[in-house]
Amino acid sequence: MRTRRGETSGRWIGCQVGGMTMSPSTTGNGWPRFSADADRAEREDFVPFIHELAAASGAVIREHYLTGVRAESKADASPVTIADRGAERAMRDLIARRYPDHGVLGEEFGETLPDARYRWVLDPIDGTKAFLANCYIFGTLIALLRDGRPIIGAITSPLVGHVLIGTAGETRLGDRVMRVRPCDRIEDALALTTDHREVAQRRDGAAFEQLISRVRLYRGWGDCHGYFQVATGGADLMLDPALSAWDIMALVPVIEGAGGRITDWRGDDPVGSDSVIASAGSIHAEVVRLLNP
């Protein structure tokens, strides 16, 4: 579910280890990389487990899809349903049984073991409004952090069965390695956002209008689905002006593993931020400049 930013405890999303600030590394293209490497043992252990989490949460979500479930309004006015809570609870139960020493931050039930070295960040339904409207472009976001940095992220589609998993090294959809597509000019880009009106409310709306007036195509295929499209080579630019940690953490390894670039709205580290710009990479710096005149 998308929520207003700022609800996450600062101690949860840090990037310090042993009192020393971790500096981002760089990609082969020279762009800063904000995810950390998962070693072979971590990939062999955690990637299959993410598939288990996706299966468990997906089963709950499919049970409630198209059934007319009612939504409650949370304190920030964002909606929550029995499907959101049930899906997160299913994932939390699996994590607690398999990795009892791991921490969890979930949108619906808060945090446990915030000082653990490994911590899971969960958004059971990213796109609850789409879910409630019988739209199918919602998903589940799953991230694993080590020492405050995401090492594995997943965008899952409960209805289609896709589980897109990214690490700093690569992003895979099943057995297929997925890559962003080349895009060297803003005029050639397919740009996406979740809520056009929110951009004007949260950021420089006039600058955003100038940007989208230049792109080849602009659509509102948003929430996590937009980042799925960028990472799989279907779109070139996805922008969200106001996000929380559970919206962001899974996206970082997915986009970077696919060869793309991801930052906050100002072009800085998205880990611990409140916004995201994700792109195929080449146009990223110009997009940031245009959005922050």
Side-chain angles (χ1 to χ4, degrees):
M1 153 190 333
R2 288 300 161 102
T3 64
R4 299 299 181 191
R5 65 184 187 270
E7 296 118 44
T8 305
S9 167
R11 63 179 174 168
W12 237 99
I13 306 303
C15 53
Q16 292 188 334
V17 181
M20 298 180 62
T21 301
M22 296 173 61
S23 298
S25 58
T26 57
T27 67
N29 294 310
W31 305 323
R33 192 186 78 189
F34 300 106
S35 57
D37 288 316
D39 63 31
R40 180 176 178 179
E42 289 169 329
R43 293 193 302 271
E44 290 179 350
D45 191 7
F46 297 130
V47 169
F49 182 64
I50 286 174
H51 282 278
E52 294 181 41
L53 295 177
S57 58
V60 174
I61 292 167
R62 288 190 298 274
E63 178 184 349
H64 295 289
Y65 184 62
L66 288 173
T67 63
V69 296
R70 293 188 176 184
E72 302 173 23
S73 291
K74 301 201 298 187
D76 64 356
S78 64
V80 61
T81 71
I82 188 173
D84 296 88
R85 291 174 174 150
E88 183 172 320
R89 190 176 293 111
M91 291 189 286
R92 283 178 173 270
D93 289 347
L94 281 174
I95 293 167
R97 289 198 297 269
R98 187 74 58 85
Y99 304 109
D101 58 339
H102 285 198
V104 179
L105 172 66
E107 180 171 4
E108 308 309 337
F109 297 110
E111 61 182 327
T112 61
L113 300 179
D115 298 319
R117 186 183 189 204
Y118 290 104
R119 296 172 287 176
W120 298 86
V121 183
L122 310 173
D123 188 348
I125 301 182
D126 186 65
T128 300
K129 292 176 182 177
F131 172 84
L132 286 166
N134 301 336
C135 177
Y136 50 80
I137 54 173
F138 61 86
T140 299
L141 293 172
I142 303 167
L144 178 61
L145 277 59
R146 184 190 65 222
D147 299 326
R149 283 278 157 193
I151 60 171
I152 306 174
I155 301 173
T156 82
S157 175
L159 301 183
V160 180
H162 287 159
V163 182
L164 183 69
I165 297 181
T167 65
E170 66 178 14
T171 292
R172 285 183 173 268
L173 183 62
D175 294 330
R176 301 168 59 194
V177 175
M178 308 306 296
R179 302 291 293 177
V180 299
R181 66 186 183 188
C183 181
D184 297 325
R185 301 190 322 135
I186 288 176
E187 287 75 13
D188 296 329
L190 166 55
L192 310 173
T193 194
T194 300
D195 187 339
H196 183 95
R197 291 175 299 179
E198 190 171 42
V199 178
Q201 294 166 1
R202 300 280 182 160
R203 305 290 169 180
D204 188 329
F208 183 74
E209 294 289 346
Q210 285 292 321
L211 170 66
I212 63 172
S213 72
R214 289 179 53 186
V215 301
R216 177 178 60 85
L217 188 63
Y218 171 61
R219 290 292 183 267
W221 303 327
D223 297 310
C224 61
H225 188 76
Y227 300 96
F228 179 97
Q229 288 180 260
V230 172
T232 57
D236 309 293
L237 180 63
M238 173 68 188
L239 310 100
D240 269 314
L243 298 175
S244 294
W246 41 77
D247 301 311
I248 296 172
M249 290 301 147
L251 307 177
V252 181
V254 169
I255 295 296
E256 293 184 342
R261 187 172 178 187
I262 182 168
T263 67
D264 72 0
W265 204 264
R266 294 161 293 279
D268 298 324
D269 189 350
V271 176
S273 75
D274 58 6
S275 57
V276 159
I277 299 172
S279 76
S282 297
I283 62 173
H284 201 97
E286 186 178 3
V287 168
V288 170
R289 181 182 61 80
L290 291 169
L291 291 175
N292 298 274

